[in-house]
């Protein structure tokens, strides 16, 4: 009996995608409704925020468009999903309906000179490998390197490579094939400036079905590990490392307690502050000189894509995840940026009890994750004024509203999603400070 919109949609999608292309079984629905928001104790207290009623796995950009069209005709809400690693609950289907899982649409169609075109579900690590085989590298990828290009462009902001190239809204996206929530939905090609309004708004103005992003010539990278007696020594090298020429691909530093929580690595000795960088081979000698002049020691210099990927996977949000594994139900974090991360570190860490900074550099600007011991959401928000007084820009990762050009997104969505079916619940005026997108 197809007497409900979900049943009717399930029947239609079974025809379109095959028996294994959809599910209405509870375990699959629950898996499709969870994301990386476990990182936020504030959001965790509010889970489950919503559960899908049907999940579909289209395997190509064209099938994504046909699936969206079917859902719109049945009036079913559509929440797109890549690997579900977004850490603000952005991929949770708050109105139920369809979770459009794009992780099986992973064709990498073309690697050209300076660009790669891939379906939304291709992982950043697969894209990087394809680029490497053609003597190129992707401009940036997140520490969750196995996440999808569609999810990274829609929910993420930066990572390895951002030290030079900024965030994924800084010219990384060359063109997109997007799908609007209309009954005759099809692939709509947008490029250059026209593609940018679809970036970092959680699919609320259109589904990214295929993306063309920028590549650059492959460099000879080294995974570089150094350690120090104290964090201030490591911190003093964030700017000099960012200024090395050619620019590193990543530089990260941690307090001894945060470093102790990271996976055991010979390059990360216990109880010492850790600095990790992905360096152009030509700068290793100068980096070594800087480390020794700051009173530290070089622990390891490793070759090969796997070695540098390992360093990427200990950057951005990952040290916080490892900290939470070592100390369950203890820490929260805020995403922060600004010169105060280096220049006013003691005041910054004093904003929250147990305050500890994990730091990176992005486009010449210190950015990082400020961890603190969690007591309540109110205590988290109470620190926002102090951060502002220190000149720190921050982003509140404990809420799921679009906070990157929300007005632009709302204006676009008025025409591309007239029925409000795309990722409902993410595009409205927040009641708590979201801060500004950090990168
Ligand atoms: C431990 C940890 C470390 C992280 N490190 C980083 C980091 O270094 N840099 C960073 O930027 N982020 C980071 N993140 C956040 C997240 O992992 C990345 O942004 C990741 O690239 C998201 O990709 P995904 O495939 O998992 O997307 P999902 O989580 O599945 O989706 C993210 C958002 O985009 C929407 N979406 C997904 N696919 C599409 C599509 N094709 N079209 C339109 N909308 C879509 C979803 O509805 C959701 O709102 C981290 C998260 C965790 C838990």
């Amino acid at each position: 009996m197809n007497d409900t919109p979900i049943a009717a949609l399930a029947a239609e999608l079974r025809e379109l995608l095959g028996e294994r292309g959809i599910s209405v079984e509870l375990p699959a629905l629950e898996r499709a409704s969870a994301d990386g928001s476990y990182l936020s104790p504030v959001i965790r207290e509010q889970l489950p925020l919503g559960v899908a009623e049907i999940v579909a796995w289209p395997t190509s950009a064209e099938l994504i468009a046909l699936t969206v069209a079917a859902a719109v005709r049945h009036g079913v809400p559509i929440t797109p999903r890549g690997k579900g690693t977004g850490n603000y609950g952005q991929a949770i289907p708050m109105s139920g309906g369809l979770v459009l899982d794009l992780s099986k649409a992973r064709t990498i169609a073309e690697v050209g000179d300076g660009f790669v075109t891939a379906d939304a579900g291709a992982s950043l690590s697969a894209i990087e490998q394809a680029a490497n085989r053609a003597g190129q590298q992707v401009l940036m990828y997140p520490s969750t390197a196995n996440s999808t290009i569609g999810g990274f462009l829609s929910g993420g902001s930066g990572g390895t490579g951002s030290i030079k190239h900024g965030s994924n809204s800084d010219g990384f996206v060359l063109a997109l094939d997007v799908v609007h929530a209309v009954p005759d939905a099809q692939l709509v090609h947008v490029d250059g400036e026209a593609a940018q309004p679809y970036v970092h708004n959680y699919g609320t103005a259109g589904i990214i079905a295929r993306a063309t992003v920028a590549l650059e010539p492959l460099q000879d990278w080294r995974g570089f590990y150094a350690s120090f007696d104290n964090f201030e020594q490591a911190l003093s090298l964030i700017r000099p490392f960012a200024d090395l020429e050619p620019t590193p691909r990543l530089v990260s530093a941690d307090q001894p307690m945060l470093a102790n929580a990271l996976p055991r690595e010979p390059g990360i000795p216990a109880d010492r502050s850790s600095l990790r960088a992905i360096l152009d081979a030509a700068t290793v000698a100068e980096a070594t000189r800087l480390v020794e002049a700051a009173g530290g020691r070089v622990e390891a210099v490793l070759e090969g894509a796997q070695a540098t990927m390992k360093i990427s996977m200990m950057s951005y949000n990952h040290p916080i995840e490892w900290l939470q594994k070592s100390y369950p139900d203890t820490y929260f974090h805020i995403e922060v940026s600004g010169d105060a991360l280096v220049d006013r570190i003691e005041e910054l860490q004093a904003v929250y009890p147990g305050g500890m900074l994990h730091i990176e550099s992005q486009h010449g600007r210190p950015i990082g994750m400020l961890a603190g011991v969690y007591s309540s959401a109110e205590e988290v928000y109470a620190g926002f004024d102090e951060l502002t007084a220190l000149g720190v820009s921050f982003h509140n990762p404990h809420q799921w509203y679009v906070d990157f050009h929300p007005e632009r997104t709302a204006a676009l969505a008025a025409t591309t999603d007239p029925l409000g079916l795309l990722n409902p619940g993410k595009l409205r005026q927040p009641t708590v400070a979201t801060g500004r997108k950090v990168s």
Side-chain angles (χ1 to χ4, degrees), residues 36 38-39 79-87 90-91 102 120 142-144 147-148 150-152 154-159 202-203 206-208 316-318 321 423:
Y38 56 83
L39 274 188
T79 301
R81 177 183 179 87
K83 277 279 165 60
T85 66
N87 50 322
Q90 309 105 299
L102 304 173
S143 70
T144 43
S147 64
T148 67
F152 177 54
S154 306
S157 54
Y202 315 158
I207 310 289
I208 296 173
Y316 282 75
N317 274 309
H318 264 91
E321 189 182 54
N423 208 350

Side-chain angles (χ1 to χ4, degrees), residues 377-408:
E378 289 68 34
E379 294 286 318
V380 174
Y381 304 145
F384 290 176
D385 286 345
E386 274 182 77
L387 292 174
T388 305
L390 285 171
V392 171
S393 298
F394 67 91
H395 172 256
N396 172 7
H398 308 291
Q399 54 78 36
W400 46 81
Y401 300 108
V402 170
D403 51 9
F404 181 61
H405 297 302
E407 296 82 13
R408 180 177 78 178

Side-chain angles (χ1 to χ4, degrees), residues 107-119:
T107 300
I108 298 176
E110 187 181 359
V111 180
D113 188 11
F115 70 91
V116 55
T117 299
D119 284 358

